[in-house]
Amino acid sequence: MNVTEVERTLGAAEDSCRASGARLTDKRKNVLAVLLRSQKPLSAYDIVDQYSKDYGGPIPAMSVYRMLEFLAKENLAHKLNSENKYLACAHINCNHHHRTPQFLICGSCNKVIEIGIRPEMIEALRDAVKAAGFRLQSSQLELNCLCDNCAKESVTTADS
């Protein structure tokens, strides 16, 4: 994401927080900026390292965890439970209602794409879970995949 897109997204995040009565402090905004500039999901410790490089000062890991919790609560970031890493929401600048997020995670290069799941698919999952005698705690899905670039490389390598 280029500088202009990051700034525009941070502005939309501030507007979203203001609308919900939350406060996007400078440090929270900086943590979100680190996520927005990253090409891959980051652990809290990755964020600590990048934050100190970008902003010239240390930030405690426990503070980063609290900030990430805030960003997730405000739907500005998502936690990938399977990897214990975080990424900025892909829909911060959108004005439409968001679907339930589904994350496609490349097992080779760790690229992650966020897509939305149709409500009827979530209902079908919820019904199947209930029929099995369970209650769905979270409808977030994380699918292990292979991105097109890595798939092409694996075919090229196999042909050699």
Side-chain angles (χ1 to χ4, degrees), residues 39-94:
Q39 299 295 312
K40 62 181 183 169
L42 301 173
S43 71
Y45 290 96
D46 294 334
I47 294 168
V48 167
D49 292 342
Q50 192 60 49
Y51 189 101
S52 65
K53 290 175 190 170
D54 292 351
Y55 300 101
I59 187 168
M62 289 310 298
S63 294
V64 170
Y65 277 112
R66 283 191 298 275
M67 290 176 210
L68 289 167
E69 188 176 304
F70 170 85
L71 294 172
K73 181 177 174 257
E74 293 298 317
N75 296 312
L76 300 173
H78 300 290
K79 180 180 182 184
L80 296 177
N81 294 314
S82 62
E83 299 188 13
N84 198 27
K85 293 185 177 183
Y86 298 83
L87 69 158
C89 178
H91 303 285
I92 295 172
N93 288 320
C94 301

Side-chain angles (χ1 to χ4, degrees), residues 41-154:
L42 301 173
S43 71
Y45 290 96
D46 294 334
I47 294 168
V48 167
D49 292 342
Q50 192 60 49
Y51 189 101
S52 65
K53 290 175 190 170
D54 292 351
Y55 300 101
I59 187 168
M62 289 310 298
S63 294
V64 170
Y65 277 112
R66 283 191 298 275
M67 290 176 210
L68 289 167
E69 188 176 304
F70 170 85
L71 294 172
K73 181 177 174 257
E74 293 298 317
N75 296 312
L76 300 173
H78 300 290
K79 180 180 182 184
L80 296 177
N81 294 314
S82 62
E83 299 188 13
N84 198 27
K85 293 185 177 183
Y86 298 83
L87 69 158
C89 178
H91 303 285
I92 295 172
N93 288 320
C94 301
N95 292 325
H96 62 274
H97 176 71
H98 297 144
R99 294 180 173 177
T100 300
Q102 174 177 338
F103 300 98
L104 310 179
I105 305 168
C106 179
S108 181
C109 70
N110 296 320
K111 176 181 178 181
V112 177
I113 298 291
E114 177 184 345
I115 62 173
I117 303 172
R118 292 190 318 262
E120 58 271 16
M121 292 180 74
I122 295 299
E123 245 348 276
L125 281 171
R126 191 171 279 120
D127 292 345
V129 167
K130 187 176 180 179
F134 286 80
R135 293 198 174 135
L136 190 62
Q137 297 293 307
S138 170
S139 54
Q140 176 177 304
L141 297 176
E142 300 173 24
L143 300 178
N144 295 318
C145 304
L146 195 59
C147 73
D148 286 343
N149 288 338
C150 291
K152 287 175 190 170
E153 284 182 20
S154 69

